[in-house]
Amino acid sequence: GRRRREAAEEEVEETPQEKKLRLAKQYLEELRQLGESRPAPLSRGAAPGAEPDPHALVLGSPADVLLFLQVLPPDPARIRVLRGHQLPVTCLVISPDDRFIFSASKDGSLIKCKWEVDSGKRLCVVPGGKKGTEERHMGHASHVLCMAISSDGKYLATGDRNKLIMIWDAATCKRLHIFTGHRDAVSGLSFRKGTHQLYSASHDRCVKVWDVGENAYVETLFGHQDIITGLDSLSRECCVTAGGRDGTVRLWKIPEESQLVFSGHQGSIDCIQLINEEHMVSGADDGSLALWGLTKKKPLVLVRQAHGERDDQGLQQPYWISAVAALRNSDLLATGSHSGSVKLWKSGEGFRKLEHLLDIPLVGFVNSLKFSAAGDFLVAGIGQEHRLGRWWRIKEAKNSICIIPLKQKTTASSPESPGSS
């Protein structure tokens, strides 16, 4: 009876509709594991009998997830390094078509260095200015901490230590608008997929919702007890946040103006990303990596000292997890620290196990990680310092963007071809 009560306490309260959806997805997952098959879904607008476009499919349910069972170690000689930032790279995003990378750093410039992925050319640089001159200059006047790009590739949003959110035309690098309202550094941004609704998180402990298409503020949500360090969202009208030293991850349900609270890390939770609509991954400065299901208050998996330990004046201290990334709707994850490598992980057994796949050597603080939409490359933002402070400095590191090619041996667990390679 005690075990049943404890299990019930761990369950997150859910509406009848959410329970139906969860049970349906659980049933589909069971069918997938039994090897049941069904016709491949068509991409939107495709004619019956036509070959589906893999980039146009919406892989929403567990039955559609492509499980990448093996990633081959990349050739270090093929890792491309893009230089241009004078100070540590703090954040980056990849355009939805995988053609461009946008990055920013502590130097205040928005090196919307719109980098071209194929050629590595720097297409656009927006220089920064002095604090208080943002209206006259195009760029930021303080450290840029976060950025996000809309799923149609139209808008780019950037947030800085000076409490400002700037909206840009991603194609031309022209600034369109400035949002004000946060009372401290803006530390997380994410567009709701398929919309121009923007979520922002701040060191002022609140989440704000904006309508970028209308240049309008929508609402503010409160709940965290410490600075918010990261934020992410997908298609649903909700977002997830990492609450630093308040020790919680939160799921914010925007229409209901409610939140679900998750706990499991011992240190400051510094980064978070959704894997799909039902699972997320987070990292903390106690070195732990957590894999979560949105119906459980505790982690499904918790890997302690995921990047090992370092000797700090005779004491063994875990390497901080400074960045996490997930290849959407797959089981492939990546984590970054200042341990000298990026680690790739596989989440198996219905997201109840994390298996370390391989290490990719990279010197410096890995402050940002993003997979391309196609999963054929991983981009890392590297700095000599951590994006949020100056606790250590790694002099031999290069402030740069690294494009890491990925080769995969895949087993498609999607319903159209179970078990095929």
Side-chain angles (χ1 to χ4, degrees):
R2 181 174 58 84
R3 284 197 296 270
R4 281 200 299 271
R5 283 197 302 276
E6 289 175 352
E9 287 174 1
E10 280 197 8
E11 291 289 340
V12 171
E13 293 181 10
E14 55 186 347
T15 65
Q17 291 81 5
E18 289 172 332
K19 184 175 181 180
K20 287 179 184 177
L21 179 63
R22 177 172 60 82
L23 292 174
K25 291 191 173 185
Q26 183 178 325
Y27 175 65
L28 288 171
E29 175 67 11
E30 290 170 358
L31 287 182
R32 182 190 67 74
Q33 291 177 352
L34 290 170
E36 297 290 334
S37 64
R38 60 178 173 78
L42 288 172
S43 58
R44 293 174 183 172
E51 286 293 320
D53 176 6
H55 297 291
L57 294 178
V58 181
L59 303 179
S61 71
D64 289 327
V65 173
L66 298 178
L67 299 182
F68 291 86
L69 298 184
Q70 185 177 355
V71 179
L72 300 177
D75 180 357
R78 296 193 63 219
I79 297 176
R80 290 187 291 149
V81 179
L82 309 182
R83 299 291 306 277
H85 290 289
Q86 301 302 311
L87 294 179
V89 176
T90 54
C91 53
L92 59 85
V93 293
I94 305 172
S95 63
D97 59 7
D98 288 346
R99 292 180 57 203
F100 306 105
I101 298 167
F102 300 91
S103 62
S105 81
K106 289 186 178 182
D107 56 24
S109 69
L110 175 64
I111 285 196
K112 264 180 66 174
C113 226
K114 198 174 168 187
W115 307 90
E116 189 174 48
V117 172
D118 288 343
S119 67
K121 290 181 179 178
R122 192 170 64 185
L123 303 180
C124 178
V125 178
V126 181
K130 293 183 179 180
K131 188 174 180 179
T133 65
E134 290 93 347
E135 291 290 346
R136 297 196 300 274
H137 293 86
M138 282 298 291
H140 290 272
S142 60
H143 298 177
V144 181
L145 297 181
C146 54
M147 60 170 50
I149 192 166
S150 59
S151 54
D152 62 1
K154 182 176 181 180
Y155 295 116
L156 183 77
T158 53
D160 68 15
R161 278 201 177 275
N162 199 26
K163 315 170 193 176
L164 299 179
I165 299 170
M166 295 190 182
I167 306 298
W168 308 80
D169 182 313
T172 64
C173 298
K174 179 183 177 183
R175 193 176 74 198
L176 304 175
H177 191 69
I178 299 179
F179 285 127
T180 60
H182 279 295
R183 291 174 286 109
D184 206 337
V186 180
S187 53
L189 289 167
S190 181
F191 280 95
R192 180 185 172 197
K193 189 176 178 182
T195 76
H196 294 147
Q197 188 176 64
L198 177 69
Y199 305 120
S200 65
S202 168
H203 288 184
D204 65 12
R205 307 181 185 184
C206 72
V207 173
K208 290 185 182 290
V209 185
W210 314 84
D211 185 334
V212 172
E214 299 294 330
N215 290 336
Y217 160 79
V218 179
E219 61 180 313
T220 302
L221 305 170
F222 300 93
H224 275 294
Q225 302 302 305
D226 192 31
I227 66 172
I228 303 176
T229 54
L231 176 147
D232 196 24
S233 67
L234 282 173
S235 300
R236 292 181 183 173
E237 200 169 352
C238 62
C239 62
V240 295
T241 52
R245 296 206 173 275
D246 76 1
T248 67
V249 165
R250 300 189 183 222
L251 169 69
W252 303 82
K253 298 183 177 182
I254 309 301
E256 296 92 336
E257 296 185 5
S258 66
Q259 57 190 286
L260 303 178
V261 181
F262 306 81
S263 57
H265 290 287
Q266 298 300 311
S268 174
I269 308 170
D270 287 348
C271 46
I272 189 166
Q273 186 165 12
L274 283 160
I275 301 169
N276 53 34
E277 298 285 9
E278 300 294 331
H279 299 90
M280 58 186 172
V281 61
S282 61
D285 71 359
D286 63 357
S288 61
L289 175 67
L291 187 61
W292 310 80
L294 298 188
T295 59
K296 292 282 186 181
K297 293 181 180 179
K298 299 295 182 183
L300 300 177
V301 187
L302 185 68
V303 179
R304 301 190 186 279
Q305 299 175 8
H307 277 252
E309 291 183 311
R310 59 186 176 83
D311 183 66
D312 185 8
Q313 298 178 347
L315 295 175
Q316 294 299 307
Q317 298 289 339
Y319 282 105
W320 296 6
I321 307 297
S322 52
V324 294
L327 179 56
R328 301 288 196 192
N329 301 303
S330 82
D331 69 347
L332 186 60
L333 308 174
T335 57
S337 181
H338 61 291
S339 61
S341 67
V342 167
K343 291 182 180 286
L344 295 187
W345 306 80
K346 174 185 180 295
S347 56
E349 297 183 6
F351 294 98
R352 293 184 178 274
K353 181 180 178 182
L354 270 176
E355 175 190 344
H356 175 232
L357 295 177
L358 57 92
D359 288 1
I360 302 167
L362 284 179
V363 178
F365 282 87
V366 181
N367 288 325
S368 187
L369 283 170
K370 290 289 186 295
F371 283 101
S372 64
D376 56 346
F377 64 90
L378 174 68
V379 182
I382 306 296
Q384 293 180 333
E385 303 166 354
H386 191 283
R387 71 184 181 98
L388 295 178
R390 303 188 67 181
W391 297 282
W392 301 280
R393 184 177 177 85
I394 302 175
K395 292 182 179 179
E396 59 271 26
K398 307 294 184 184
N399 298 320
S400 59
I401 292 144
C402 296
I403 302 176
I404 305 160
L406 298 176
K407 287 185 178 180
Q408 297 149 350
K409 289 182 179 178
T410 62
T411 297
S413 66
S414 55
E416 55 263 31
S417 53
S420 64
S421 297

